[in-house]
Amino acid sequence: MKWNKYTIETTTAAEDYMSSMLMDLGIEGIEIEDNVPLTKEDQASMFIDFLPELPPDEGKSYVSFYLEEDGRDQTEILKKVKVGLEQLRSMVEVGTGVISSSETEDLDWINNWKKYFTSFTIEDILIKPTWEELKEEDRDKFLIEIDPGISFGTGKHETTQLCIRQLLKYIRGNGEYTPAEQHPKVLDVGCGSGILSIVALKLGAGAVVGTDLDEDCMISTRDNMEVNHLDPSLGTFYVGNLIDDTKLQETVGTEEYDIVVANILADVIIPMAPVIPDRLKKGGHFITSGIIDFKEQEVKEAIEAAGLTVVEINHQGEWVNITAQKQ
């Protein structure tokens, strides 16, 4: 299917009015391009560690909309757009109002990214997308299958790999460390697709509890548990923000967990740090990543200020893992 893309050159002051006018005409799929910097509030709500570099904001905006190329004449709807645009001139500075057009294909954006997610290993764990066939030579490997769906978490990002390596150490153990608890209870904060919860369970965790801000993550996590043949009773998942939701804090419990894992971002971990010690049993570990390297010290100080002892710091590329213990 092909679509005609129409782009209106306008101003940042008029872009919201323009979008509303287009929606009133029954047009959906509107996109806005401008160079307006993100506010601190926007940055916090989007959990972005650092702001993108944009050209200077000169007040210009480009509002685009799409009309399906189905053989019908689009002249009438374009006339209505132009009339609406002229009516807006009496209310706000709309700029040139020039409309340009181009053609675009209806690409399968939901699934096209899958070609970039292929099987890979972390130590002896094989992480495979659900849509990829298992190779004969991999049939005896420690297998985890993942379909992120519309949630974050394929396992391929450095931050997730850092957390998985720590889960391997603190659940299964290695030459350096022998876990005190063979079947630990794990809290996965910001569970996303559920990959860390699933890794924890398949390594031997007795139970996991997960939280995330996004309701869609609950669906992805449950689906991925089923794909990995895990008993659904082993995982309990909640929507909410552990930082300031006291009811959620009470629900997940106090001094319940041998391990808390959080693969989020530095600017979320820092305000979260004070609520973590109450979730951990004595001797429990807080495993975290999503920390860009230049924020390492700031996160470390926040974790220590919360009363935890940092026991190791690991790096992969520009990303950092900090693991701490409740003494």
Side-chain angles (χ1 to χ4, degrees):
M1 184 184 298
K2 292 185 180 293
W3 298 76
N4 288 320
K5 177 181 179 181
Y6 296 95
T7 300
I8 306 169
E9 183 178 319
T10 185
T11 67
T12 52
E15 60 189 22
D16 287 341
Y17 293 94
M18 201 76 68
S19 299
S20 179
M21 179 268 291
L22 293 170
M23 286 188 286
D24 287 344
L25 292 174
I27 295 172
E28 299 177 352
I30 299 163
E31 64 181 30
I32 297 173
E33 298 173 77
D34 60 34
N35 293 327
V36 177
L38 291 173
T39 64
K40 289 289 185 182
E41 291 76 15
D42 291 334
Q43 185 182 1
S45 65
M46 296 170 69
F47 304 137
I48 295 174
D49 245 343
F50 46 89
L51 292 170
E53 293 185 10
L54 296 173
D57 175 24
E58 297 178 345
K60 282 188 177 181
S61 178
Y62 297 90
V63 178
S64 299
F65 60 96
Y66 297 81
L67 298 176
E68 184 181 342
E69 192 179 90
D70 55 4
R72 289 183 289 182
D73 188 5
Q74 298 176 348
T75 304
E76 193 60 35
I77 188 67
L78 291 174
K79 282 182 180 178
K80 291 180 180 179
V81 170
K82 290 177 181 178
V83 169
L85 194 156
E86 292 306 314
Q87 289 173 340
L88 288 178
R89 288 189 186 278
S90 62
M91 301 169 56
V92 66
E93 172 57 50
V94 300
T96 66
V98 171
I99 302 176
S100 57
S101 64
S102 60
E103 190 177 73
T104 183
E105 291 186 55
D106 184 16
L107 298 175
D108 186 2
W109 300 111
I110 296 295
N111 293 302
N112 277 3
W113 64 274
K114 289 182 177 180
K115 62 187 176 184
Y116 301 107
F117 176 27
T118 56
S119 296
F120 65 102
T121 57
I122 300 174
E123 295 190 20
D124 63 336
I125 296 176
L126 172 67
I127 297 178
K128 182 185 79 66
T130 54
W131 56 86
E132 189 176 284
E133 287 293 325
L134 181 64
K135 296 176 183 177
E136 190 62 39
E137 61 266 29
D138 292 331
R139 292 192 178 278
D140 59 346
K141 290 186 178 176
F142 189 107
L143 176 65
I144 292 175
E145 295 191 277
I146 289 291
D147 183 348
I150 53 178
S151 302
F152 173 81
T154 64
K156 209 157 190 177
H157 195 274
E158 290 94 333
T159 62
T160 315
Q161 293 187 33
L162 283 163
C163 286
I164 290 174
R165 288 191 174 92
Q166 293 303 93
L167 289 173
L168 277 162
K169 177 177 179 178
Y170 288 97
I171 296 178
R172 190 169 66 182
N174 58 21
E176 301 174 3
Y177 178 80
T178 301
E181 174 59 55
Q182 286 190 331
H183 302 291
K185 188 173 183 180
V186 177
L187 174 62
D188 181 3
V189 185
C191 58
S193 67
I195 185 168
L196 295 180
S197 292
I198 290 164
V199 168
L201 287 171
K202 296 202 79 168
L203 287 173
V208 297
V209 173
T211 69
D212 204 285
L213 299 177
D214 189 348
E215 291 185 13
D216 290 328
C217 293
M218 306 299 106
I219 299 170
S220 296
T221 297
R222 285 294 179 195
D223 289 347
N224 283 317
M225 283 188 67
E226 183 177 349
V227 165
N228 285 277
H229 311 292
L230 291 168
D231 184 341
S233 67
L234 296 176
T236 307
F237 302 93
Y238 302 99
V239 177
N241 189 340
L242 197 67
I243 295 173
D244 54 16
D245 188 336
T246 54
K247 184 177 180 182
L248 180 61
Q249 292 168 14
E250 292 170 3
T251 300
V252 301
T254 301
E255 296 188 346
E256 286 272 340
Y257 301 95
D258 303 284
I259 295 172
V260 175
V261 60
N263 180 29
I264 312 180
L265 284 173
D267 287 343
V268 182
I269 297 166
I270 290 167
M272 182 189 294
V275 308
I276 298 301
D278 284 345
R279 314 280 77 78
L280 283 167
K281 297 176 183 177
K282 186 176 180 180
H285 289 90
F286 180 36
I287 297 170
T288 188
S289 191
I291 305 161
I292 194 73
D293 51 14
F294 61 80
K295 293 211 170 183
E296 175 184 328
Q297 186 61 30
E298 190 178 353
V299 176
K300 179 175 179 289
E301 290 173 0
I303 290 173
E304 290 174 333
L308 299 176
T309 301
V310 172
V311 293
E312 62 178 296
I313 296 175
N314 300 290
H315 298 83
Q316 187 170 340
E318 60 185 354
W319 299 97
V320 184
N321 150 253
I322 297 176
T323 298
Q325 187 176 31
K326 181 177 178 178
Q327 301 295 332

